[in-house]
Amino acid sequence: MAVRNPAGVTGATPASALAARRAGLLLFSAEDHLGSHWARLILCEKDVDGVAIEWIKPDTVNEDWATLSPRGELPTLADREVVLYPARLVVEYLDERYPHPPLLPVEPAGRARARMIQHHISSHLYGLAEAGLATGAAAQKARKALQEELLGLARMFPARGFFMGNDMTVVDTAWAPLMWRLPSLGIPLDSVDGMRTYADRLFARGAFQRSLSAVERNLAG
């Protein structure tokens, strides 16, 4: 799967244009948004073909997106009659919709643990990172809290393999977009034991490189 813009539909009304694009997968994504990047990475790891990416620009109205996601949630995934958001639900749906390669362990206990970890990353750490991108005292506090969380997890970053063992899981796909942004938040990858080695292993994957938007490529990974 390559990240691309959807083809236009010439001479169609907005409603029919949206219906035409929704004949396959349609992902509404921002060029520098953690959850959006996570969803794009899943699509690339699954090597899903025929995905249309609709880029949401700041301060620009996108009527199709507003129709499907009235609350303005990103990412938003449309798969024919199914519309899903936010990122966690999009990722779970894609893993079930495209089961190969699987991104959850086979055994129930492992699946539950993977879901718990990725939920903590996406709901808590992503929030701190997004808050840290702003300016002011609140942003500084968020960056400090994020770094402290990472320091507490240092012993869990694997010297080889992946976060939960030899196989890549949804947990690794959640970590990668966050780690890619850490230097831009003033948190060097070398500041946490074991994190750079693990992060570089994730960044080297072809799927990760394909998942990057033009804006994200300019971030220091």
Side-chain angles (χ1 to χ4, degrees):
M1 177 262 181
V3 172
R4 62 180 178 83
N5 288 319
V9 182
T10 304
T13 65
S16 62
L18 178 57
R21 289 202 298 276
R22 289 181 64 191
L25 284 182
L26 173 60
L27 182 71
F28 293 88
S29 171
E31 292 184 291
D32 184 18
H33 175 258
L34 271 164
S36 296
H37 189 182
W38 187 22
R40 283 185 264 117
L41 178 54
I42 294 291
L43 288 167
C44 290
E45 286 288 348
K46 299 284 185 176
D47 199 20
V48 179
D49 291 327
V51 182
I53 304 292
E54 185 90 0
W55 297 107
I56 302 300
K57 305 290 186 179
D59 303 320
T60 300
V61 176
N62 184 300
E63 294 182 359
D64 291 346
W65 179 47
T67 297
L68 296 177
S69 181
R71 294 174 57 187
E73 296 270 5
L74 283 174
T76 294
L77 179 73
D79 185 10
R80 295 176 175 85
E81 299 306 314
V82 176
V83 177
L84 290 169
Y85 47 80
R88 179 177 59 83
L89 296 182
V90 171
V91 166
E92 289 184 4
Y93 176 79
L94 290 173
D95 191 47
E96 293 184 2
R97 175 83 161 77
Y98 302 95
H100 301 291
L103 290 175
L104 282 172
V106 175
E107 70 281 4
R111 294 170 74 89
R113 180 168 175 262
R115 286 190 171 108
M116 287 177 62
I117 297 171
Q118 65 87 8
H119 179 68
H120 178 70
I121 297 169
S122 62
S123 66
H124 182 53
L125 301 187
Y126 278 20
L128 290 174
E130 295 286 359
L133 291 170
T135 57
Q140 186 175 359
K141 183 178 179 180
R143 291 192 293 270
K144 181 179 179 181
L146 177 58
Q147 186 164 27
E148 289 174 351
E149 291 261 6
L150 294 171
L151 287 169
L153 293 169
R155 63 183 179 80
M156 300 184 69
F157 294 126
R160 57 179 59 85
F162 298 100
F163 198 83
M164 294 187 66
N166 294 326
D167 298 322
M168 187 173 191
T169 69
V170 67
V171 174
D172 304 289
T173 66
W175 272 122
L178 175 62
M179 290 181 167
W180 183 255
R181 286 160 171 77
L182 290 179
S184 66
L185 290 165
I187 304 176
L189 293 172
D190 291 324
S191 66
V192 178
D193 288 346
M195 189 164 65
R196 175 171 287 280
T197 300
Y198 171 57
D200 285 347
R201 195 155 54 248
L202 299 180
F203 300 160
R205 294 178 66 83
F208 182 83
Q209 292 299 316
R210 294 194 303 274
S211 74
L212 293 167
S213 70
V215 172
E216 287 160 347
R217 286 191 181 279
N218 292 325
L219 298 177

